[in-house]
Amino acid sequence: MQHHAVLSALTTVWRSIPCSRSELNLDVVLSCGQSFRWKQINPSHWTGVLASQVWTLTQTDDHIWYTTYCLDGEENVDLVGLESQNMEPKQSATSAHRELKMERERRGCCKNTVDAEISCMGKTVTVNPSNNFIFVKSKKTEDDCDKVGRKKQDILMDYFQLNVELESLYKQWGKEDLHFRRVAQEFPGVRILRQDPTECFFSFICTSNNHISRIEGMIERLCKAFGKRLCQLDKAVYYSFPTLEALAG
């Protein structure tokens, strides 16, 4: 069984997009009632369905971090090298962490001064000791991982419309509207999601005379009844949003 990922844990592959909180505030944007399929499973970690894939997103001051999960019956290309040797990703990462610690002590370096790429059990393991995040990639699948990574990044860039520079718009709107200028200080990084039209349309229908928690429940039941099962994380099962054909049938 797969589990909900946490950035500080050494159990999955995370990728990132450079993005400040003033450009995107995940905690606000994913909970404000635009989309109803993102759940905060762990603090500041949002898991939901986007483009028929299950994602977990989180944020640091200057990056959006994301990971996806293999669908039922499929293999995660990011971890194929680990799985082919019947090894747990956490075991490899833990071994890499021990090796890095020894290297720090040998060099006499403090915790935050060494960035290292070391070989661990036949994998390339990149370690950033300032936060102890470890990223594991099989050399055999490096090209595949890069292609998948670019595609996923494009999906997020489009979904959050990150090609639009929000800070400059905030400044422009603040000059024109004093009320907006005051509110903007409390809510930076709020932007409109570019959602799938079908999901957006039917979600909007569900919003009539409802509150967010009830809308979330309605959409979840709709997906469970007519959508495709994607995967299970812990006790939660995730489904795609149903197609128009499935809803019409």
Side-chain angles (χ1 to χ4, degrees):
M1 180 189 296
Q2 299 183 88
H3 302 281
H4 290 94
V6 179
L7 184 60
S8 58
L10 312 178
T11 57
T12 189
V13 174
W14 288 85
R15 301 177 188 276
S16 69
I17 300 174
C19 181
S20 66
R21 295 182 190 273
S22 59
E23 284 294 327
L24 172 62
N25 188 327
L26 272 185
D27 289 345
V28 174
V29 171
L30 296 182
S31 65
C32 68
Q34 292 189 63
S35 174
F36 302 95
R37 304 211 63 201
W38 294 96
K39 294 181 173 59
Q40 189 174 204
I41 305 298
N42 295 295
S44 295
H45 285 67
W46 296 88
T47 299
V49 178
L50 172 62
S52 296
Q53 184 85 48
V54 182
W55 306 65
T56 291
L57 311 178
T58 190
Q59 186 170 26
T60 54
D61 287 340
D62 53 4
H63 282 82
I64 299 296
W65 295 88
Y66 63 94
T67 189
T68 58
Y69 305 88
C70 55
L71 306 181
D72 287 349
E74 292 185 357
E75 186 176 44
N76 190 336
V77 66
D78 283 333
L79 300 178
V80 66
L82 297 177
E83 294 171 346
S84 64
Q85 297 186 24
N86 296 318
M87 292 162 45
E88 292 293 332
K90 189 172 183 178
Q91 292 174 335
S92 179
T94 302
S95 176
H97 191 271
R98 285 198 300 266
E99 187 170 339
L100 176 63
K101 184 178 179 181
M102 293 172 62
E103 180 67 10
R104 288 181 190 144
E105 293 174 351
R106 185 184 68 80
R107 296 187 188 184
C109 299
C110 65
K111 177 178 179 180
N112 295 324
T113 57
V114 182
D115 284 316
E117 184 174 277
I118 57 181
S119 176
C120 176
M121 298 184 183
K123 312 298 177 301
T124 298
V125 181
T126 302
V127 184
N128 183 339
S130 63
N131 47 30
N132 290 336
F133 299 154
I134 296 181
F135 307 88
V136 183
K137 184 185 291 185
S138 170
K139 294 179 180 178
K140 294 181 181 179
T141 62
E142 189 167 350
D143 290 340
D144 291 336
C145 289
D146 288 342
K147 291 178 182 178
V148 171
R150 285 193 295 270
K151 183 177 180 180
K152 292 178 181 178
Q153 178 170 308
D154 289 345
I155 289 172
L156 286 184
M157 293 286 293
D158 180 69
Y159 184 65
F160 290 112
Q161 302 191 70
L162 294 179
N163 60 311
V164 178
E165 187 179 345
L166 191 60
E167 282 189 270
S168 61
L169 291 175
Y170 263 51
K171 291 178 181 178
Q172 177 184 336
W173 297 334
K175 290 179 181 178
E176 303 294 332
D177 190 314
L178 181 61
H179 177 67
F180 177 85
R181 190 188 314 169
R182 291 196 298 266
V183 173
Q185 295 176 4
E186 299 296 327
F187 297 99
V190 179
R191 55 175 65 231
I192 301 297
L193 300 175
R194 190 192 300 275
Q195 300 184 67
D196 173 76
T198 301
E199 179 176 344
C200 185
F201 176 74
F202 283 96
S203 297
F204 178 75
I205 292 176
C206 293
T207 62
S208 179
N209 296 319
N210 277 323
H211 50 77
I212 288 179
S213 61
R214 189 161 184 263
I215 298 166
E216 289 174 345
M218 294 173 66
I219 294 174
E220 186 66 26
R221 289 190 292 273
L222 185 69
C223 294
K224 185 176 181 179
F226 299 102
K228 176 185 176 183
R229 175 181 164 130
L230 299 176
C231 70
Q232 180 174 348
L233 304 178
D234 300 311
K235 295 182 179 180
V237 180
Y238 291 86
Y239 299 86
S240 65
F241 197 88
T243 63
L244 284 173
E245 292 76 11
L247 292 170

